[in-house]
Structures are given as C-alpha cells and as structure tokens.
Amino acid sequence: MRSLFKHPACHGAILALLCFLSYGPALSRYFVSEDFFVLRRLAASSLWDTTWTHLTGPLLEISFVKFYRPVAGFLLHVESLLWGAAPSGYLITHLLIHLLNVALVYQLAKIWSSQGTASRDDSGADAGSAGTAPTGRTALGVSAIFALYPLHPNAVLFVAGFATIYSALFLLTTLVLYERYRAIGNVRTLWAAAGCFMLALGSYEQTVILPGLLAARELLAAWDRRDLGRWRKLIRQLAPTGPFFVLLALYFVVRQAALDQMVAGYDGFRERLLSEEAMKLAHSMLSGIARLVYPQYGHEIGAAMLWSVGLVLLVGSLWVVKSGAVERRLWILGWLWILASQAPFAFALVVPGNGRYWYLTSIGLGLVIVASGRLLASLVVRLPWLHSGGRDRVRPALTESVSAILLVVFALVYLAQLRHYVRIYAEAGRTTHEIQKQLAELPAGQAVFVAGVPDFLRGLRQVPIAQVYSWGLNDALASPFVARGPIVYPLPRVDDGELLPVLERTDLAATWRWHSETQQLERVPRSAAVAAASPTRLAVERDAGGGLRFQAAAGGHYLVLLTRGSASTYPIREPAGPDGWTHVPLPEPVINSMHHLYGGEIYAWVEARQDGRQIAVSRLERITPGS
C-alpha cells in the first residue's frame, strides 16, 4: 500500500482531485469583464482573418497595449468555435490545461531533484549529485504548491487570461524536452524543444525568460562538476542553449516589424522597468516576494517583514553553497525563476485580480519551498541530541518529516485561500450575468450611460479579487451573448452628484445606476441629481490643436474619458502656462483604439478633486479621434 502512495499516478490523481474539488464551484460561472470583449471580437471574424491580423499586428487590434500573441489568439479562436457563448466549455478546458501544466511541473521537479540531473560529461556518464534523492516527494511538493496556489483562479477561471495557461504549457513542454535532450543527446528532441519555445513566444511575452533559465541550468550543472573555470567545457555546456537565444533575437525582430515596439508589455511596466531607481525596484521585489509566499492582503507589508525576507534570502543563499547539489540546484533555480518571471512586470504589486502574473512565478516558489524544507531538515538533524544513545537511526525519518511538515502547512494554507477566492470568482460571474440581463431589457440600439457597475469584487482594504466589468460592459450586450442590446457608456464609479457633466446634458441619453446592495438597475432622476450637485465650474475650451485646456482650481486635476469600451481617469500633471491655462494631454492611442474597436462618440470632462471628493468640474466635451 505504501508503494502505491509513492507512485506518480497516485500523486497525479490526488492533485487532480484537489483541483477539481477546489475549482468545481466556479466551473459553471458566467463570463466577466474582458471575456466579453475578447469573445465578441473573435466571433466577428473568421479564424483565418483573425490569425493573419494577429501575425501582422497586436492582439485583437488593441493598439495601445501592444501584445504579440498570434499562437494564443489562434487557440482561443478555436475554443470559441467549439464553445461559443457557453462559459463552462472554456473553464473546463482551461482547468484541464492547468492540470497538464501541473503534470509537467511534476516531471521537471522530478528531473531536477534526481541523481544525474546535470548533463552528461564527455564520457557519457551522469554527472549529477551523489546519493539518491526522494524525487517523488520533491516533485509532489513542487507541483502541489503550483496546483493549489491561491491566485491561479485569475488564470484558470478568467477566459481572457488564456495566454497565461497556453504559454505555460509550451514553456514547460520546452523545458521537459530540453531535459530529455540532455539525458539522451537526441538532436531531434532539441529541435522539438525549440519549436515549443517558438509557440511559447507566440503566446505570451513573459516566456522571453526561458533562454536565461536554460543558461542558468547549464551553469549549475557545470558548478556541480566544478567546470566553471574551464572555458572550453563551459562553452560546450552552454552550446545547446544557443538556438533558444537565436529564436529570442528573431522574436524581437518580428515584434519590432509587426508592432513597432521591441520591449513588450503594458506601458507602465515597461517604463518602470527601464527607468525606476534600483532601490525602488529592490523594495518592490522584496514586497512582492513576501506577498508571493503569503498572499494575504488584509494588512500592509511592514519594514520588519521586508527585512525578514531579505535575511532569509541571504542566510539561505549562504547555507545552500555548503549543502548538497540537489538543494543548491532547487534553491538557486527557484529564486532565479521567481525573479526572472517577475522582471517583465517590473516587480509590480500582484493581487488576486491580476494573479495570473504569478502563474509561472509560483513554480519558482514551489522549488524554493521544497529546497527550504530540505535545508531546514539538514539543520535539524545536526542537533547534538540526535547523535547520542543510538539515535542516528531516526535521522532519515526525521529529515523526511521536517520537509513534509513544511510542505503540508503551505499546501493546506494555500488550499484554504484557493477555495475562498474561487467562491468570490463564482459570485463575480453571477453579478455580471444579472447586470447583463437587466440592461438587455432596455430598448435595443438605445445609447445609455450606466453608473455604479463594479469593476472588481473587492476584499479587505479594497483589494481587487475578481473581475466584474472593468471592461466589456458594452460587449456583453452584443452578439454572441445577446441578439441586440442597448449601446452602453460605462461611467466612473462615483456618486450621482459627481456625474454633473453627463446629467446636465438633456440632449444625451438616460443615465442608469446599478445598486450592488439590491442587485437592481434604476434610472437616475436627472433633475434631482443636478440640483444636488455642488462642485464649482472649471473653465475649459479647445486649444489651437483641437485638444483641451482649462483654468486650474485647487486640488489635483484629472481627465475623465468616456468611451463605449470603458471609463478611464488620467491624472493631469501639466503645469499652467503664462496665461493661466493648462493644456490637457489626451491619451491619443487609447482614443484612437477605442474609436476603432467600438466607434460612436467619445466624451471627456476635466475635474478637480481634494480629499477624495470632486470640488470642481468642467462641462462635457466631445473628443474627435486624431485631433
């Protein structure tokens, strides 16, 4: 019976059962947020037209966020042809892909913790660490952390997070094939790995880290054989990583040609990574690591926590140098994986609402936790009282127990958090469906403004947990979700008294408000809301270039932009000119992209805010794309 529980098939069955039990309550949840936008765009075009568009331009033609993801886009379009507007089909498919990724992580962890993990030397003999390692338990530990990590619902249960799980599948397959090549030396396996890497690059920008991880793996193998100072052997050791660096360079060339941008990702991440001070990045990195280990958002991360994280990193890294090859390999690869996978996001704060950014990162966390358990066990067995009275025979069992206890504690904590977040994700789907149903009852084709619609379901300290309608409200009222609904302009999530620019315009459509407490949509009484509004007026006018300028008031100033896709608020940091007027920098890429994707009028107003409330506001202005 004990041998049965040690079998990889049993490990896989346990993890699959836990995943289905954890994610099961939300597998029938409705679409949310960007799901509507993505699937509406795919339904409006043929598979081949979409594929060509994605090969030659940004994903879904969103020009202000330049994602190059033709492979992931193709696969999701195939899914859309299979499942249409049935959310369960997508969610079950993505959970199955997640389980495939768990199996690949299991295989990788087993390889990296086994005897002979390092590549073969010139004689063909395995050059791994001496002795046998409990590879099955190590692999189970790493894959369990990955399978049950509590922020993964944002990748598994969020259809628009498709690129994350597809790219992980290709990246992990690449690594498994590469390790297979290093074990048997079959060049065809190496080229298969390179092909999978191409698919990974075509799915998600984060996968650019893979050549660096492969190089780190080879350097660790050289360290195990004490070859770091032997340049010819080191070059020969690193040679198989060459094709991957060549493919990465070609990928950047293709990105530059297709998108006119080589460095990928959101503008905020890219600018922060390229310009932020080293100390700020270090602080963000340590804060992120603390949250990664314990993703609980009910409290701030204090200085003591950051110092603790830094101390653990330092002491562990010093101790691991003197430890066995397996512990050293898992520890170093784990931390390199964590840091490399977060570098594309400039170590930005990750919350449950964007937890997909830690999907790959959690693999590194699993490696570090397992290595920490093994290092802690090696410290415990050195206690003097274990070496007296014939107690040496208990040391192997104690070593296994210490590392197992640490893993069980983490797994149970993560499992409880995962189930909590999954319930909130299911509630988010019910909320989007109810809002969609009530809006669909309004006259088809009528333009309406809608306030009060939640962007996320939030937890303590207003931390975003699950998307509701941060995007996609207008898309949810179009094919393939409803035959024909009203045309919606989402409004900022503020009180009626702060919507004066819209409410005072009698020539505009009616304004409706969603009340989260009663789950009801109600029409806003225009005259009463205007009478209750109290802000002073900001003078605004067109400037010579067709843009906007205003005369500043007290407090901070903001541009509020209304499109059919979303309502966005931008801080205005421009100084006032000599004549007292301040120029408003319009987000032209967003305006042009929204006009291309949705059409219709685009509106804006300027407001001044102080102590969290609106104190001055301009009239509503129409914005002309390209002005």
Side-chain angles (χ1 to χ4, degrees):
M1 182 61 72
R2 291 187 62 186
S3 62
L4 175 64
F5 285 111
K6 294 180 180 180
H7 197 279
C10 182
H11 295 167
I14 292 172
L15 292 177
L17 179 62
L18 288 174
C19 283
F20 273 108
L21 290 175
S22 299
Y23 284 98
L27 288 179
S28 60
R29 85 162 187 155
Y30 198 54
F31 299 114
V32 298
S33 195
E34 287 95 329
D35 295 352
F36 294 108
F37 167 74
V38 171
L39 296 178
R40 180 185 70 83
R41 293 288 297 175
L42 293 178
S45 180
S46 71
L47 176 62
W48 307 117
D49 287 344
T50 302
T51 301
W52 178 252
T53 299
H54 289 166
L55 283 170
T56 57
L59 181 71
L60 300 171
E61 299 182 278
I62 309 175
S63 59
F64 63 92
V65 181
K66 295 185 177 181
F67 291 145
Y68 189 69
R69 301 174 182 177
V71 176
F74 175 83
L75 292 173
L76 186 67
H77 203 143
V78 172
E79 278 195 75
S80 72
L81 296 176
L82 291 173
W83 310 123
S88 294
Y90 299 91
L91 300 183
I92 293 172
T93 300
H94 292 184
L95 178 58
L96 292 176
I97 295 174
H98 176 58
L99 291 176
L100 281 176
N101 291 337
V102 171
L104 291 168
V105 170
Y106 184 97
Q107 183 67 18
L108 272 177
K110 192 172 182 179
I111 292 170
W112 286 341
S113 60
S114 66
Q115 180 181 7
T117 297
S119 59
R120 301 184 175 205
D121 59 19
D122 293 338
S123 65
D126 285 335
S129 58
T132 59
T135 58
R137 288 188 297 275
T138 297
L140 177 61
V142 176
S143 56
I145 296 298
F146 174 68
L148 304 175
Y149 192 71
L151 268 58
H152 285 353
N154 191 244
V156 178
L157 298 176
F158 182 40
V159 176
F162 64 97
T164 301
I165 57 171
Y166 283 137
S167 64
L169 177 65
F170 295 131
L171 183 140
L172 292 169
T173 303
T174 302
L175 284 167
V176 170
L177 288 172
Y178 185 86
E179 291 294 346
R180 180 71 175 162
Y181 162 74
R182 291 311 258 153
I184 65 176
N186 188 326
V187 176
R188 291 182 180 179
T189 308
L190 180 65
W191 290 119
C196 283
F197 179 50
M198 292 175 63
L199 296 176
L201 288 174
S203 298
Y204 199 29
E205 292 76 9
Q206 192 182 21
T207 57
V208 298
I209 67 173
L210 185 129
L213 292 175
L214 292 180
R217 175 250 187 255
E218 296 296 354
L219 291 173
L220 283 171
W223 185 1
D224 289 344
R225 294 201 310 272
R226 297 178 175 83
D227 282 344
L228 285 180
R230 301 173 182 177
W231 293 107
R232 289 186 178 180
K233 287 190 174 183
L234 189 59
I235 292 172
R236 192 158 54 244
Q237 182 80 37
L238 290 170
T241 68
F244 299 91
F245 282 100
V246 171
L247 287 175
L248 181 61
L250 291 175
Y251 165 76
F252 284 128
V253 171
V254 171
R255 269 193 62 91
Q256 181 67 39
L259 308 182
D260 195 29
Q261 184 184 89
M262 186 174 293
V263 180
Y266 292 105
D267 287 342
F269 292 156
R270 186 177 67 254
E271 292 168 2
R272 183 180 177 193
L273 184 63
L274 296 176
S275 64
E276 191 154 307
E277 297 175 8
M279 288 303 295
K280 288 183 178 180
L281 278 177
H283 183 276
S284 298
M285 180 184 70
L286 292 177
S287 299
I289 290 172
R291 287 282 190 228
L292 175 69
V293 175
Y294 185 54
Q296 173 58 254
Y297 295 86
H299 56 83
E300 292 281 357
I301 296 179
M305 176 66 78
L306 293 182
W307 279 108
S308 299
V309 170
L311 185 62
V312 169
L313 267 170
L314 178 61
V315 173
S317 299
L318 293 174
W319 180 256
V320 80
V321 173
K322 298 182 179 181
S323 301
V326 172
E327 289 82 5
R328 180 170 62 241
R329 186 182 306 116
L330 295 179
W331 176 270
I332 295 176
L333 280 177
W335 283 116
L336 287 176
W337 191 297
I338 289 171
L339 299 178
S341 62
Q342 280 308 289
F345 305 113
F347 307 102
L349 175 65
V350 173
V351 297
N354 62 358
R356 62 192 181 278
Y357 297 160
W358 276 351
Y359 189 76
L360 282 178
T361 307
S362 63
I363 300 172
L365 175 64
L367 294 170
V368 168
I369 289 175
V370 168
S372 300
R374 294 170 67 96
L375 289 171
L376 183 61
S378 69
L379 285 173
V380 171
V381 298
R382 293 171 187 249
L383 295 173
W385 65 273
L386 288 174
H387 299 272
S388 60
R391 289 179 178 143
D392 279 351
R393 63 179 180 272
V394 306
R395 292 174 63 195
L398 183 63
T399 300
E400 295 178 17
S401 299
V402 170
S403 55
I405 288 171
L406 183 65
L407 277 171
V408 169
V409 168
F410 271 101
L412 290 177
V413 170
Y414 287 167
L415 180 60
Q417 289 181 310
L418 173 62
R419 290 176 62 84
H420 171 67
Y421 287 141
V422 166
R423 286 193 292 271
I424 297 175
Y425 269 70
E427 178 61 28
R430 287 190 290 270
T431 302
T432 60
H433 201 193
E434 186 61 33
I435 294 172
Q436 181 200 52
K437 285 196 301 183
Q438 294 190 32
L439 281 172
E441 294 174 358
L442 300 178
Q446 181 186 76
V448 295
F449 292 89
V450 180
V453 174
D455 54 350
F456 289 85
L457 293 186
R458 297 175 180 267
L460 296 174
R461 299 173 51 239
Q462 293 298 300
V463 170
I465 294 179
Q467 284 92 343
V468 180
Y469 277 119
S470 57
W471 257 51
L473 183 58
N474 201 60
D475 304 281
L477 299 165
S479 177
F481 310 105
V482 298
R484 186 165 180 253
I487 299 169
V488 174
Y489 283 87
L491 292 172
R493 286 160 286 278
V494 295
D495 295 334
D496 293 346
E498 297 189 359
L499 299 175
L500 181 61
V502 170
L503 294 174
E504 68 180 356
R505 289 281 297 271
T506 57
D507 60 320
L508 295 180
T511 300
W512 296 77
R513 174 171 290 279
W514 172 258
H515 295 275
S516 297
E517 300 79 9
T518 61
Q519 297 280 290
Q520 292 296 317
L521 188 70
E522 297 180 2
R523 187 164 182 168
V524 177
R526 190 187 302 268
S527 57
V530 171
S534 58
T536 59
R537 283 297 189 179
L538 276 179
V540 65
E541 66 179 26
R542 298 284 178 172
D543 61 21
L548 299 177
R549 64 175 189 166
F550 67 98
Q551 288 190 322
H557 294 84
Y558 300 87
L559 171 71
V560 179
L561 187 70
L562 305 181
T563 72
R564 294 181 180 182
S566 65
S568 305
T569 302
Y570 301 89
I572 300 172
R573 299 189 176 92
E574 298 289 314
D579 57 358
W581 289 84
T582 301
H583 172 70
V584 179
L586 297 177
E588 295 292 349
V590 175
I591 292 171
N592 293 331
S593 184
M594 287 296 183
H595 181 70
H596 172 70
L597 296 172
Y598 292 96
E601 301 287 351
I602 296 177
Y603 302 97
W605 75 74
V606 178
E607 64 182 21
R609 304 188 72 88
Q610 194 171 53
D611 299 327
R613 65 184 184 88
Q614 186 187 77
I615 60 173
V617 65
S618 75
R619 67 177 182 269
L620 193 67
E621 298 285 342
R622 276 189 172 89
I623 302 297
T624 303
S627 61

